[in-house]
Amino acid sequence: MKAVVLRSYGSPDDLAVTEIDKPVPRGDEVLVRVRATSVQPYDWHHLRGEPYIARLMPGSLGLRGPKISILGADMAGQVEAVGADVTGFSPGDEVFAQVNQGGFAEYVCVREGELAPKPKNLTFEQAAAVPMAANTALLGLRDQGRVQPGQKVLINGASGGVGTFAVQLAKAFGAEVTGVCSTRNVDLVRSIGADEVIDYTKEDFTRNGRRYDLLLDIAGGRSGSACRRVLTPKGTYVAIGGAPSRWLQPAGHVFAALAVSPFVSQRMVMTDVVRCTENRQNLMTLARFIEDGKITPVIDRSYPFEEIPAAVKYQEEGHVPGKVVIAV
């Protein structure tokens, strides 16, 4: 099969389309013919090996070279074969999953417990845009944020992959939603349901005097102390991402916010979608929202499989509205 292989840390130009052996499913695994995948910051962090501090963190980047040889955290496709212990899927079933690695290939093996039926009203490309980004938004709002109907929710970074899902999910949970984005994406964020949109090029959301019950900080760019100013006394700050750098960020931004948590009245928490153990259940929850018309993927660009390096390079430039997907 064809796969886009990463041999060492580098740039998107170092990604190479290579012929490798097709994987064989173990007893509890499903072999999926990948029809589409998507690109996200998770991929280029592993490509670059940055931030460098993450190379020292258990279970994160490799110290001298990448632990992941085939990137691609999301996939949607059709079941090709199943292991001897698989009971819930059959060849031909349309599925999607957050795989964390291996999506940049024609085939991937996925544990049955991590696989979910593809939403019936989505194409493969649309479905591939969902898993990691929408799961991150769901965890941030429902699990870490404990969002409740009627609460005021602020989403910093509302136009990106996670942000566009977060806006729609917060509305589905009955919250009053304010999104923060740049001028060119104001109309987009309003169109997906935000009650109010703040253009950060014209207004500093940390200094306008408004207060929120929950802040999802996807874009970063403001200190934890500044973000606390926008919260009610018992409000919740959920750290998801931030502006990248070679050495520390966005990890440093997240850790700095968490460090003050024991000393303030607000809750300061983070979302770790990679270590989530409820991915299948979360994907099935998201599929119900999608099939009910409450959320829909926002796709900025679609690339063919051979142009994955160009797609990763575009994603790395930042400020992508919605998701970048790959047709395999």
Side-chain angles (χ1 to χ4, degrees):
M1 71 171 186
K2 291 181 179 179
V4 175
V5 176
L6 174 64
R7 304 294 187 190
S8 61
Y9 291 134
S11 74
D13 295 330
D14 295 312
L15 295 170
V17 179
T18 307
E19 288 283 346
I20 63 173
D21 292 336
K22 183 192 300 185
V24 177
R26 298 176 182 176
D28 66 342
E29 291 181 336
V30 176
L31 177 66
V32 180
R33 170 69 169 94
V34 180
R35 296 297 183 185
T37 183
S38 70
V39 183
Q40 44 220 325
Y42 180 81
D43 296 312
W44 53 258
H45 280 303
H46 281 269
L47 169 65
R48 296 284 186 180
E50 298 172 1
Y52 294 148
I53 191 175
R55 300 190 189 187
L56 304 175
M57 297 165 60
S60 190
L61 309 178
L63 180 60
R64 299 184 180 276
K67 289 183 178 180
I68 297 176
S69 60
I70 302 176
L71 303 175
D74 293 339
M75 75 88 210
Q78 293 171 292
V79 173
E80 182 86 1
V82 300
D85 300 327
V86 173
T87 59
F89 295 96
S90 302
D93 288 349
E94 297 184 348
V95 294
F96 74 143
Q98 177 187 317
V99 292
N100 294 334
Q101 59 179 299
F104 291 175
E106 292 181 315
Y107 293 89
V108 65
C109 283
V110 186
R111 289 181 57 250
E112 181 180 16
E114 298 174 351
L115 201 61
K118 180 180 75 67
K120 297 180 177 62
N121 57 336
L122 295 188
T123 66
F124 287 116
E125 289 183 36
Q126 289 175 313
V130 174
M132 180 171 274
N135 195 15
T136 301
L138 180 64
L139 291 174
L141 288 164
R142 184 195 64 189
D143 297 25
Q144 279 74 45
R146 303 172 188 173
V147 65
Q148 297 296 318
Q151 286 187 328
K152 293 184 177 181
V153 175
L154 180 67
I155 298 170
N156 181 30
S159 63
V162 176
T164 50
F165 284 114
V167 169
Q168 297 175 80
L169 281 168
K171 289 298 296 181
F173 286 128
E176 180 183 324
V177 181
T178 298
V180 180
C181 63
S182 64
T183 305
R184 67 178 182 140
N185 293 320
V186 166
D187 290 341
L188 166 64
V189 174
R190 187 173 287 115
S191 73
I192 57 176
D195 299 287
E196 184 179 359
V197 184
I198 296 174
D199 180 349
Y200 69 77
T201 69
K202 300 178 179 178
E203 180 182 351
D204 184 348
F205 70 89
T206 69
R207 295 187 178 278
N208 61 17
R210 301 171 199 167
R211 298 291 179 267
Y212 302 88
D213 301 293
L214 171 61
L215 165 58
L216 248 63
D217 192 11
I218 304 163
R222 297 290 190 276
S223 68
S225 59
C227 289
R228 284 181 49 231
R229 286 199 299 265
V230 312
L231 292 174
T232 61
K234 296 296 183 180
T236 298
Y237 170 89
V238 180
I240 293 178
S245 73
R246 286 189 173 184
W247 288 97
L248 190 61
Q249 305 301 351
H253 171 74
V254 173
F255 296 151
L258 298 182
V260 303
S261 183
F263 310 105
V264 298
S265 63
Q266 293 106 338
R267 292 179 61 244
M268 312 287 280
V269 294
M270 67 173 289
T271 293
D272 187 352
V273 70
V274 176
R275 291 174 176 81
C276 177
T277 59
E278 305 293 331
N279 285 336
R280 181 180 184 181
Q281 292 87 341
N282 289 344
L283 289 176
M284 293 175 72
T285 295
L286 291 165
R288 288 193 292 271
F289 279 124
I290 291 167
E291 291 174 349
D292 289 344
K294 293 182 179 179
I295 63 173
T296 188
V298 175
I299 295 176
D300 177 39
R301 293 187 185 182
S302 177
Y303 289 79
F305 181 77
E306 292 74 14
E307 294 183 17
I308 283 179
V312 174
K313 184 179 296 185
Y314 175 63
Q315 174 72 57
E316 192 177 19
E317 292 173 1
H319 304 291
V320 174
K323 291 286 295 178
V324 175
V325 298
I326 309 295
V328 181

